[in-house]
Amino acid sequence: MRRAGALAVELKPGDEPVTMADRLASEMIVAGIKAAFPGDPLISEELPPAPGVFGATRFWLIDPIDGTKDFIRGNDGFSIMIGLVENGRPVLGVVHQPTPEGSWRTFYASPEGAFITTADGTRPLAVSAVAHAGDAKLVASASHRSPKIDEVKSTLGIADEQNVGSVGVKLSLIALGVRDLYVNPWPKTKAWDTCAPEAILTRAGGRLTDLFGGPIVYSGELRHPRGLVASNGHIHDEVIARIAPLFTGMRDTM
């Protein structure tokens, strides 16, 4: 994706960057969803949520640019994400990674399964067969990497780590089977960060929970205060059992 001209970077509350591209992408996506599904409420990262939206049985979650810091740096670890929640669970998701020179890729989940589309065509997604946590290939944050990740790696015996900005890309890499585990103790991840990629990951055979194995909740608030663990599913219970003691101070966080 070519980023020509000034990005007009500003800081939102929490010192998180936002660019004009974030806002323009949000306007385009919101307009498209409203035109196609006029009765559905929606939440975009760049718009205040509509009153009562979390009481709806069906609503859309949009992150117009996930991994904005990578986007600003000119790196490829960002994506555009659209997810649909029904009855409290993500049911549809799209994570589009607009990387340059024909190497773009779109991960998506539908009732038929999880898939990846590239310039070469479309194929199903499936997680890896890795069965032991120590053999896992970790994917971690490029911008919010906590020192706790080193403790996680030591506890599990993991040596292989890749760093990517977008949560959506990280979970999609696990769905693709090229990474096996993502651990994020940062308590400020939001619902629009996880909705689309959770739909993709679970349909590819993986799992997403909080740091203690609890489900990710899409009602009541936007924030996920108990962190995130995503995996290929095969190693998930082992990972939770071994790393949860590292985060005991977050267990009662609401």
Short mmCIF file of all heavy atoms in Angstrom, two decimals, residues 109-161:
data_model
loop_
_atom_site.label_atom_id
_atom_site.label_comp_id
_atom_site.label_asym_id
_atom_site.label_seq_id
_atom_site.Cartn_x
_atom_site.Cartn_y
_atom_site.Cartn_z
N ALA A 109 -13.77 -15.05 7.51
CA ALA A 109 -14.55 -16.16 8.04
C ALA A 109 -16.02 -15.96 7.70
O ALA A 109 -16.53 -14.84 7.79
CB ALA A 109 -14.39 -16.27 9.55
N SER A 110 -16.66 -17.04 7.30
CA SER A 110 -18.08 -17.06 7.00
C SER A 110 -18.65 -18.35 7.59
O SER A 110 -17.89 -19.17 8.14
CB SER A 110 -18.29 -17.03 5.48
OG SER A 110 -17.90 -18.28 4.91
N PRO A 111 -19.96 -18.58 7.49
CA PRO A 111 -20.49 -19.85 7.99
C PRO A 111 -19.87 -21.08 7.32
O PRO A 111 -19.92 -22.18 7.87
CB PRO A 111 -21.98 -19.74 7.67
CG PRO A 111 -22.25 -18.28 7.70
CD PRO A 111 -21.03 -17.65 7.11
N GLU A 112 -19.27 -20.89 6.15
CA GLU A 112 -18.66 -22.01 5.43
C GLU A 112 -17.26 -22.36 5.92
O GLU A 112 -16.71 -23.39 5.57
CB GLU A 112 -18.59 -21.71 3.92
CG GLU A 112 -19.94 -21.75 3.21
CD GLU A 112 -20.82 -20.58 3.59
OE1 GLU A 112 -20.30 -19.44 3.70
OE2 GLU A 112 -22.03 -20.80 3.78
N GLY A 113 -16.63 -21.45 6.71
CA GLY A 113 -15.28 -21.72 7.20
C GLY A 113 -14.42 -20.48 7.19
O GLY A 113 -14.91 -19.35 7.09
N ALA A 114 -13.10 -20.70 7.27
CA ALA A 114 -12.14 -19.61 7.26
C ALA A 114 -11.24 -19.76 6.03
O ALA A 114 -10.82 -20.87 5.69
CB ALA A 114 -11.30 -19.63 8.53
N PHE A 115 -10.92 -18.62 5.41
CA PHE A 115 -10.22 -18.66 4.12
C PHE A 115 -9.22 -17.51 4.02
O PHE A 115 -9.33 -16.51 4.73
CB PHE A 115 -11.23 -18.54 2.97
CG PHE A 115 -12.30 -19.58 3.00
CD1 PHE A 115 -13.49 -19.35 3.70
CD2 PHE A 115 -12.13 -20.80 2.36
CE1 PHE A 115 -14.49 -20.32 3.74
CE2 PHE A 115 -13.13 -21.77 2.40
CZ PHE A 115 -14.30 -21.53 3.09
N ILE A 116 -8.28 -17.66 3.10
CA ILE A 116 -7.38 -16.60 2.73
C ILE A 116 -7.45 -16.41 1.22
O ILE A 116 -7.42 -17.38 0.47
CB ILE A 116 -5.92 -16.87 3.18
CG1 ILE A 116 -5.00 -15.72 2.74
CG2 ILE A 116 -5.42 -18.21 2.68
CD1 ILE A 116 -3.59 -15.83 3.26
N THR A 117 -7.56 -15.15 0.80
CA THR A 117 -7.54 -14.82 -0.63
C THR A 117 -6.32 -13.95 -0.91
O THR A 117 -6.07 -12.97 -0.20
CB THR A 117 -8.82 -14.07 -1.04
OG1 THR A 117 -9.95 -14.93 -0.86
CG2 THR A 117 -8.76 -13.65 -2.50
N THR A 118 -5.58 -14.33 -1.94
CA THR A 118 -4.43 -13.55 -2.41
C THR A 118 -4.57 -13.39 -3.92
O THR A 118 -5.57 -13.84 -4.52
CB THR A 118 -3.11 -14.25 -2.09
OG1 THR A 118 -3.00 -15.46 -2.86
CG2 THR A 118 -3.01 -14.60 -0.60
N ALA A 119 -3.56 -12.81 -4.54
CA ALA A 119 -3.59 -12.68 -6.00
C ALA A 119 -3.61 -14.03 -6.69
O ALA A 119 -3.98 -14.14 -7.86
CB ALA A 119 -2.38 -11.86 -6.46
N ASP A 120 -3.22 -15.08 -5.97
CA ASP A 120 -3.18 -16.43 -6.54
C ASP A 120 -4.47 -17.21 -6.36
O ASP A 120 -4.58 -18.34 -6.85
CB ASP A 120 -2.02 -17.22 -5.93
CG ASP A 120 -0.66 -16.62 -6.25
OD1 ASP A 120 -0.50 -16.11 -7.38
OD2 ASP A 120 0.22 -16.63 -5.38
N GLY A 121 -5.44 -16.64 -5.63
CA GLY A 121 -6.71 -17.35 -5.45
C GLY A 121 -7.09 -17.47 -3.98
O GLY A 121 -6.52 -16.79 -3.11
N THR A 122 -8.06 -18.34 -3.71
CA THR A 122 -8.61 -18.52 -2.36
C THR A 122 -8.40 -19.95 -1.90
O THR A 122 -8.57 -20.89 -2.69
CB THR A 122 -10.11 -18.18 -2.35
OG1 THR A 122 -10.28 -16.82 -2.71
CG2 THR A 122 -10.71 -18.41 -0.97
N ARG A 123 -8.02 -20.10 -0.63
CA ARG A 123 -7.88 -21.45 -0.08
C ARG A 123 -8.29 -21.44 1.39
O ARG A 123 -8.30 -20.39 2.04
CB ARG A 123 -6.45 -21.96 -0.21
CG ARG A 123 -5.39 -21.13 0.50
CD ARG A 123 -4.00 -21.67 0.20
NE ARG A 123 -2.93 -20.86 0.74
CZ ARG A 123 -2.41 -21.01 1.95
NH1 ARG A 123 -2.90 -21.95 2.77
NH2 ARG A 123 -1.42 -20.24 2.37
N PRO A 124 -8.66 -22.60 1.94
CA PRO A 124 -9.07 -22.66 3.35
C PRO A 124 -7.90 -22.41 4.29
O PRO A 124 -6.74 -22.68 3.96
CB PRO A 124 -9.60 -24.09 3.50
CG PRO A 124 -9.84 -24.58 2.12
CD PRO A 124 -8.85 -23.89 1.26
N LEU A 125 -8.22 -21.91 5.45
CA LEU A 125 -7.25 -21.73 6.51
C LEU A 125 -7.34 -22.89 7.49
O LEU A 125 -8.43 -23.42 7.75
CB LEU A 125 -7.51 -20.43 7.27
CG LEU A 125 -7.23 -19.12 6.54
CD1 LEU A 125 -7.84 -17.95 7.31
CD2 LEU A 125 -5.74 -18.92 6.34
N ALA A 126 -6.21 -23.27 8.06
CA ALA A 126 -6.18 -24.29 9.10
C ALA A 126 -4.98 -24.04 9.99
O ALA A 126 -3.88 -23.74 9.51
CB ALA A 126 -6.09 -25.69 8.49
N VAL A 127 -5.19 -24.16 11.30
CA VAL A 127 -4.11 -23.96 12.25
C VAL A 127 -3.09 -25.09 12.15
O VAL A 127 -3.35 -26.14 11.54
CB VAL A 127 -4.66 -23.88 13.69
CG1 VAL A 127 -5.57 -22.69 13.85
CG2 VAL A 127 -5.39 -25.18 14.06
N SER A 128 -1.94 -24.88 12.77
CA SER A 128 -0.88 -25.89 12.76
C SER A 128 -1.25 -27.07 13.65
O SER A 128 -2.20 -27.01 14.45
CB SER A 128 0.43 -25.29 13.27
OG SER A 128 0.38 -25.11 14.68
N ALA A 129 -0.47 -28.13 13.56
CA ALA A 129 -0.67 -29.32 14.38
C ALA A 129 0.24 -29.34 15.60
O ALA A 129 0.29 -30.35 16.32
CB ALA A 129 -0.42 -30.58 13.54
N VAL A 130 0.95 -28.26 15.88
CA VAL A 130 1.86 -28.20 17.02
C VAL A 130 1.09 -28.53 18.30
O VAL A 130 0.04 -27.95 18.58
CB VAL A 130 2.51 -26.80 17.13
CG1 VAL A 130 3.25 -26.65 18.46
CG2 VAL A 130 3.47 -26.58 15.97
N ALA A 131 1.63 -29.49 19.09
CA ALA A 131 0.88 -30.02 20.23
C ALA A 131 1.51 -29.71 21.57
O ALA A 131 0.92 -30.03 22.61
CB ALA A 131 0.73 -31.55 20.07
N HIS A 132 2.70 -29.11 21.59
CA HIS A 132 3.39 -28.81 22.84
C HIS A 132 3.80 -27.34 22.84
O HIS A 132 4.37 -26.84 21.86
CB HIS A 132 4.60 -29.71 23.02
CG HIS A 132 4.28 -31.17 23.01
ND1 HIS A 132 3.62 -31.79 24.05
CD2 HIS A 132 4.48 -32.12 22.06
CE1 HIS A 132 3.46 -33.07 23.76
NE2 HIS A 132 3.96 -33.29 22.56
N ALA A 133 3.56 -26.67 23.95
CA ALA A 133 3.80 -25.23 24.02
C ALA A 133 5.25 -24.87 23.72
O ALA A 133 5.52 -23.84 23.09
CB ALA A 133 3.41 -24.71 25.40
N GLY A 134 6.18 -25.69 24.14
CA GLY A 134 7.59 -25.39 23.92
C GLY A 134 7.99 -25.39 22.46
O GLY A 134 9.03 -24.82 22.10
N ASP A 135 7.18 -26.01 21.62
CA ASP A 135 7.46 -26.05 20.18
C ASP A 135 6.78 -24.92 19.42
O ASP A 135 6.93 -24.82 18.19
CB ASP A 135 6.99 -27.39 19.59
CG ASP A 135 7.73 -28.58 20.19
OD1 ASP A 135 8.92 -28.43 20.50
OD2 ASP A 135 7.10 -29.65 20.35
N ALA A 136 6.04 -24.08 20.13
CA ALA A 136 5.23 -23.06 19.47
C ALA A 136 6.08 -21.95 18.89
O ALA A 136 7.12 -21.57 19.44
CB ALA A 136 4.22 -22.48 20.45
N LYS A 137 5.59 -21.39 17.80
CA LYS A 137 6.15 -20.17 17.23
C LYS A 137 5.28 -19.02 17.71
O LYS A 137 4.10 -18.95 17.38
CB LYS A 137 6.17 -20.25 15.70
CG LYS A 137 7.10 -21.33 15.16
CD LYS A 137 7.04 -21.39 13.64
CE LYS A 137 7.98 -22.45 13.10
NZ LYS A 137 7.91 -22.55 11.62
N LEU A 138 5.88 -18.12 18.46
CA LEU A 138 5.15 -17.02 19.08
C LEU A 138 5.06 -15.84 18.14
O LEU A 138 6.01 -15.52 17.43
CB LEU A 138 5.87 -16.60 20.36
CG LEU A 138 5.25 -15.47 21.18
CD1 LEU A 138 3.98 -15.95 21.89
CD2 LEU A 138 6.25 -14.93 22.21
N VAL A 139 3.91 -15.17 18.14
CA VAL A 139 3.78 -13.87 17.49
C VAL A 139 3.39 -12.87 18.58
O VAL A 139 2.51 -13.13 19.39
CB VAL A 139 2.75 -13.89 16.33
CG1 VAL A 139 1.37 -14.30 16.78
CG2 VAL A 139 2.73 -12.56 15.60
N ALA A 140 4.11 -11.75 18.62
CA ALA A 140 3.92 -10.77 19.69
C ALA A 140 3.82 -9.37 19.11
O ALA A 140 4.12 -9.15 17.94
CB ALA A 140 5.06 -10.86 20.71
N SER A 141 3.45 -8.44 19.97
CA SER A 141 3.24 -7.07 19.53
C SER A 141 4.54 -6.41 19.11
O SER A 141 5.60 -6.64 19.71
CB SER A 141 2.60 -6.26 20.65
OG SER A 141 2.48 -4.90 20.28
N ALA A 142 4.44 -5.55 18.10
CA ALA A 142 5.59 -4.75 17.70
C ALA A 142 5.62 -3.42 18.44
O ALA A 142 6.68 -2.81 18.57
CB ALA A 142 5.54 -4.49 16.19
N SER A 143 4.48 -2.96 18.95
CA SER A 143 4.39 -1.63 19.56
C SER A 143 4.10 -1.67 21.06
O SER A 143 4.43 -0.72 21.77
CB SER A 143 3.29 -0.82 18.87
OG SER A 143 3.56 -0.67 17.49
N HIS A 144 3.41 -2.72 21.53
CA HIS A 144 3.04 -2.80 22.94
C HIS A 144 3.62 -4.07 23.56
O HIS A 144 2.98 -4.70 24.40
CB HIS A 144 1.52 -2.80 23.10
CG HIS A 144 0.86 -1.57 22.57
ND1 HIS A 144 0.97 -0.35 23.18
CD2 HIS A 144 0.08 -1.37 21.48
CE1 HIS A 144 0.29 0.55 22.50
NE2 HIS A 144 -0.26 -0.04 21.46
N ARG A 145 4.85 -4.42 23.21
CA ARG A 145 5.44 -5.65 23.73
C ARG A 145 5.82 -5.46 25.20
O ARG A 145 6.67 -4.65 25.54
CB ARG A 145 6.67 -6.06 22.93
CG ARG A 145 7.19 -7.45 23.29
CD ARG A 145 8.52 -7.76 22.62
NE ARG A 145 8.96 -9.11 22.86
CZ ARG A 145 9.54 -9.54 23.98
NH1 ARG A 145 9.72 -8.68 24.98
NH2 ARG A 145 9.93 -10.79 24.11
N SER A 146 5.18 -6.24 26.06
CA SER A 146 5.43 -6.16 27.49
C SER A 146 6.66 -6.98 27.88
O SER A 146 6.93 -8.04 27.28
CB SER A 146 4.21 -6.71 28.24
OG SER A 146 4.52 -6.97 29.59
N PRO A 147 7.42 -6.55 28.88
CA PRO A 147 8.50 -7.38 29.40
C PRO A 147 8.02 -8.75 29.88
O PRO A 147 8.80 -9.69 29.96
CB PRO A 147 9.06 -6.55 30.56
CG PRO A 147 8.68 -5.14 30.25
CD PRO A 147 7.36 -5.22 29.55
N LYS A 148 6.72 -8.85 30.18
CA LYS A 148 6.16 -10.13 30.61
C LYS A 148 6.28 -11.19 29.51
O LYS A 148 6.26 -12.39 29.81
CB LYS A 148 4.69 -9.96 30.99
CG LYS A 148 4.46 -9.39 32.38
CD LYS A 148 4.70 -10.45 33.45
CE LYS A 148 4.24 -9.99 34.81
NZ LYS A 148 4.47 -11.03 35.85
N ILE A 149 6.39 -10.76 28.26
CA ILE A 149 6.51 -11.74 27.17
C ILE A 149 7.79 -12.55 27.32
O ILE A 149 7.82 -13.75 27.00
CB ILE A 149 6.47 -11.03 25.80
CG1 ILE A 149 5.11 -10.32 25.61
CG2 ILE A 149 6.71 -12.02 24.66
CD1 ILE A 149 3.92 -11.24 25.72
N ASP A 150 8.85 -11.94 27.84
CA ASP A 150 10.08 -12.71 28.08
C ASP A 150 9.86 -13.77 29.15
O ASP A 150 10.39 -14.88 29.05
CB ASP A 150 11.21 -11.76 28.47
CG ASP A 150 11.62 -10.85 27.34
OD1 ASP A 150 11.65 -11.32 26.19
OD2 ASP A 150 11.90 -9.66 27.60
N GLU A 151 9.05 -13.43 30.17
CA GLU A 151 8.71 -14.43 31.19
C GLU A 151 7.87 -15.55 30.60
O GLU A 151 8.06 -16.73 30.94
CB GLU A 151 7.96 -13.77 32.34
CG GLU A 151 8.76 -12.79 33.17
CD GLU A 151 7.97 -12.27 34.35
OE1 GLU A 151 7.35 -13.09 35.07
OE2 GLU A 151 7.96 -11.05 34.56
N VAL A 152 6.94 -15.20 29.73
CA VAL A 152 6.12 -16.21 29.07
C VAL A 152 7.00 -17.15 28.26
O VAL A 152 6.87 -18.39 28.34
CB VAL A 152 5.07 -15.53 28.16
CG1 VAL A 152 4.40 -16.56 27.24
CG2 VAL A 152 4.02 -14.83 29.01
N LYS A 153 7.90 -16.59 27.47
CA LYS A 153 8.79 -17.42 26.65
C LYS A 153 9.65 -18.34 27.51
O LYS A 153 9.82 -19.52 27.19
CB LYS A 153 9.68 -16.53 25.77
CG LYS A 153 8.93 -15.80 24.67
CD LYS A 153 9.81 -14.80 23.96
CE LYS A 153 10.91 -15.46 23.16
NZ LYS A 153 11.73 -14.48 22.42
N SER A 154 10.17 -17.80 28.61
CA SER A 154 11.00 -18.62 29.50
C SER A 154 10.19 -19.73 30.16
O SER A 154 10.63 -20.88 30.24
CB SER A 154 11.63 -17.72 30.57
OG SER A 154 12.39 -18.48 31.48
N THR A 155 8.98 -19.38 30.60
CA THR A 155 8.12 -20.37 31.26
C THR A 155 7.74 -21.50 30.33
O THR A 155 7.70 -22.68 30.73
CB THR A 155 6.85 -19.68 31.79
OG1 THR A 155 7.21 -18.71 32.77
CG2 THR A 155 5.88 -20.69 32.40
N LEU A 156 7.47 -21.17 29.07
CA LEU A 156 7.02 -22.18 28.11
C LEU A 156 8.17 -22.83 27.34
O LEU A 156 7.96 -23.83 26.66
CB LEU A 156 6.04 -21.54 27.11
CG LEU A 156 4.75 -20.97 27.70
CD1 LEU A 156 3.91 -20.32 26.61
CD2 LEU A 156 3.94 -22.05 28.42
N GLY A 157 9.36 -22.23 27.41
CA GLY A 157 10.49 -22.77 26.66
C GLY A 157 10.45 -22.42 25.18
O GLY A 157 10.91 -23.20 24.34
N ILE A 158 9.91 -21.24 24.85
CA ILE A 158 9.76 -20.81 23.46
C ILE A 158 10.95 -19.93 23.07
O ILE A 158 11.34 -19.02 23.81
CB ILE A 158 8.45 -20.04 23.26
CG1 ILE A 158 7.26 -20.99 23.40
CG2 ILE A 158 8.40 -19.35 21.90
CD1 ILE A 158 5.92 -20.30 23.36
N ALA A 159 11.51 -20.18 21.89
CA ALA A 159 12.62 -19.37 21.38
C ALA A 159 12.22 -18.54 20.17
O ALA A 159 12.78 -17.47 19.93
CB ALA A 159 13.80 -20.28 21.02
N ASP A 160 11.26 -19.02 19.38
CA ASP A 160 10.91 -18.40 18.11
C ASP A 160 9.85 -17.32 18.32
O ASP A 160 8.74 -17.60 18.80
CB ASP A 160 10.37 -19.48 17.16
CG ASP A 160 10.20 -19.00 15.73
OD1 ASP A 160 9.74 -17.86 15.53
OD2 ASP A 160 10.51 -19.77 14.80
N GLU A 161 10.16 -16.06 17.97
CA GLU A 161 9.22 -14.95 18.14
C GLU A 161 9.23 -14.06 16.90
O GLU A 161 10.28 -13.71 16.39
CB GLU A 161 9.58 -14.11 19.36
CG GLU A 161 8.68 -12.89 19.55
CD GLU A 161 9.06 -12.04 20.75
OE1 GLU A 161 9.86 -12.52 21.60
OE2 GLU A 161 8.58 -10.89 20.84
#
